[in-house]
Amino acid sequence: MEFKFHVEGGDFTSAGTASSQIKKVLKQINIDPIIIKRVVVALYEAEVNIVAHAHHGDIKVKITPQQVYIRLDDEGPGIENVEKAMQKGFSTASSKVREMGFGAGMGLPNIKENADIFTVRSEVGKGTTLEITISTVNNG
Amino acid sequence: MTVEQISQQLNLTVFGGNKGLNTEITGGYTSDLLSDVMGFAAVGSVWITLQTHKNVMAIASLKDLAAIVLVKGFTPDPDTLAQANEEGIPILGSKEQSFELSAKIYNLLN
Ligand SMILES: Nc1ncnc2c1ncn2[C@@H]1O[C@H](COP(=O)(O)OP(=O)(O)O)[C@@H](O)[C@H]1O
Ligand SMILES: [Mg+2]
């Protein structure tokens, strides 16, 4: 199954639309609630980062029997220092965004925490691509 | 203890989301940082905050929280209230500040 979403920068009222849709789908196909939670947290944070930091972006979610694969491509300022951006507490969010309770610098760390595979590629002045993979099979 | 029981015991205002008043509360989380709640609040928690915008409902829904309690007399934005009603997640209010309200809810749950 594949799903696509478009996200506009600055559109906070729509933030969470993709996460909410994907949560419903995963519930319908009886994915383990613990896995659903991890997908929801990672996708929500990634979605909000496009809203808070980029101009616009596209989300693709591919669900296979083994995994949930999410790719987010945005056009925007990009991330100057990805390593730094991944640190808990690092944020360049505007004061308006912070007042809303976003911009705690916990988004990328939350994604990393919940993903099995997480890669960030970014080009300053162009945009950012995130790839998030979460396995849905018990491999323990 | 249900949302309704806590709401009655602490004299909370019920702004909306009444369909969820019978939901069992299993814990609480007090934070105004959305990523903190997103990352760490447990299912079935009551979320104590001063954030009133619509994104709090998105998070409550995504995290399967039992209810939201707004502190210090804050009231939900109209679109927040509309979503609370749509999703059946109660949004409540108190005149008290987070520390006091959290302590009271903690005592009721423990
Ligand atoms: N899609 C993006 N485009 C541009 N910058 C980003 C993007 N995602 C994250 N960043 C940068 O990385 C920082 C840390 O992101 P994150 O951990 O989600 O914290 P927050 O969003 O709360 O600031 C952001 O403040 C921003 O500088
Ligand atoms: Mg973020």
Side-chain angles (χ1 to χ4, degrees), chain A residues 12-13 15 19-20 23 37 40-41 44-45 99-102 104 106-107 110, chain B residues 32-36 38-40 43 51 53-55 59 61-64 79:
Chain A
F12 279 96
T13 51
S19 331
S20 165
K23 183 188 174 191
K37 262 180 238 144
V40 162
V41 172
Y44 181 79
E45 293 290 0
E99 251 170 56
M100 290 174 80
F102 294 108
M106 295 173 73
N110 272 357
Chain B
D32 302 321
L33 297 176
L34 306 196
S35 287
D36 181 28
M38 199 60 210
F40 301 99
V43 173
Q51 298 290 353
H53 55 84
K54 192 178 164 221
N55 296 275
I59 288 174
S61 164
L62 287 167
K63 295 292 286 185
D64 298 314
D79 54 354

Side-chain angles (χ1 to χ4, degrees), chain A residues 13-14 28-29 34 39 44-45 58-59 62 66 83-84 98 100 107 126 129 135 137-139:
Chain A
T13 51
S14 304
Q28 266 164 20
I29 58 171
I34 294 170
V39 171
Y44 181 79
E45 293 290 0
D58 289 295
I59 305 177
K62 209 169 160 184
Q66 287 78 33
E83 210 182 308
K84 210 166 157 187
R98 280 170 200 260
M100 290 174 80
K126 282 213 156 147
T129 296
S135 170
V137 290
N138 193 340
N139 43 17

